[in-house]
Amino acid sequence: MDWILPISLGLVLFAARDSLGLAAFQGRALRLAYCASLLVAGGSLGAVAEQLSLTDARALVGEPFVWGSAIAVHGILWLLFESAKRNRRLLPWSRWLLVLPPPLLMYAVGAATWHALRWANLPGPLAGACVMAGYGAVVLVVAFALRRRAASQPAAGTALGFLAASNISGLLLPLLPHRAQPGRALPGNVDWAQSLPVLGIVVSLVSASFLWARLRNSY
């Protein structure tokens, strides 16, 4: 259906973001807080998802206040990560921003949880926690694989650059194909005409932002 690509893109983008961040900013307390935050967020999303129909979910995401607030949160995260990256010393508070799940990740996991509830007979909070646990497991495995390469000050700066750039994707919230279409049943395939432009624009913006930051830092 038309949410498959945005959901997948959101999960992949933020899995890369979080993996790089956790690899660069190592610490057991940070990992524990990160995992606890994901499980709480997943359980909360599951409780909401089991109460919503597809039309209700799309209408909720389509509310200007909802996506406007999400864009604002992404903008604040971008500013904070950019501020941390420009400092010569790694700011201790910057790593703890990883504990906060960004809105686009919450949207992607919420949509994935909504579909999981239709595939499996699970309570909403449990389904949401399971989806987030799967996402978190992938992040931790990749972070563990990257830990030696990322354990340096330049790696921390690179991680902060990508953490900042990834939040540019929040600007694409108004373009996501979330508006309900009356009389339309759930299709079994991807609506490429709606999803591919969103996919391309998100990838282009995040890549351009990250490359520009790298180029600027090389001078």
Side-chain angles (χ1 to χ4, degrees), residues 87-183:
N87 261 273
R88 300 197 176 191
R89 292 173 54 251
L90 177 63
L91 300 177
W93 56 262
S94 61
R95 69 187 67 199
W96 293 100
L97 293 175
L98 277 168
V99 175
L100 305 174
L104 264 189
L105 174 61
M106 298 285 280
Y107 283 11
V109 170
T113 300
W114 190 92
H115 289 294
L117 287 170
R118 274 65 192 168
W119 298 332
N121 188 22
L122 293 174
L126 180 58
C130 287
V131 171
M132 272 294 202
Y135 167 84
V138 172
V139 168
L140 291 175
V141 168
V142 176
F144 181 78
L146 295 175
R147 72 193 187 286
R148 290 185 180 178
R149 180 176 297 181
S152 66
Q153 187 70 22
T158 300
L160 284 169
F162 188 71
L163 289 166
S166 64
N167 285 287
I168 298 297
S169 59
L171 299 176
L172 274 296
L173 278 167
L175 300 180
L176 290 176
H178 54 246
R179 301 194 183 282
Q181 299 181 19

Side-chain angles (χ1 to χ4, degrees), residues 50-117:
E50 69 178 344
Q51 304 297 325
L52 297 178
S53 66
L54 178 62
T55 301
D56 291 338
R58 288 181 168 183
L60 178 63
V61 176
E63 286 290 330
F65 175 77
V66 174
W67 56 255
S69 300
I71 289 174
V73 171
H74 275 279
I76 291 170
L77 288 173
W78 174 76
L79 288 172
L80 290 173
F81 282 126
E82 275 290 318
S83 173
K85 182 170 67 70
R86 290 173 183 173
N87 261 273
R88 300 197 176 191
R89 292 173 54 251
L90 177 63
L91 300 177
W93 56 262
S94 61
R95 69 187 67 199
W96 293 100
L97 293 175
L98 277 168
V99 175
L100 305 174
L104 264 189
L105 174 61
M106 298 285 280
Y107 283 11
V109 170
T113 300
W114 190 92
H115 289 294
L117 287 170

Side-chain angles (χ1 to χ4, degrees), residues 2 7 13 49 64 98 103 110 134 160 187 207:
D2 60 355
I7 291 171
L13 174 64
L98 277 168
L160 284 169
S207 300

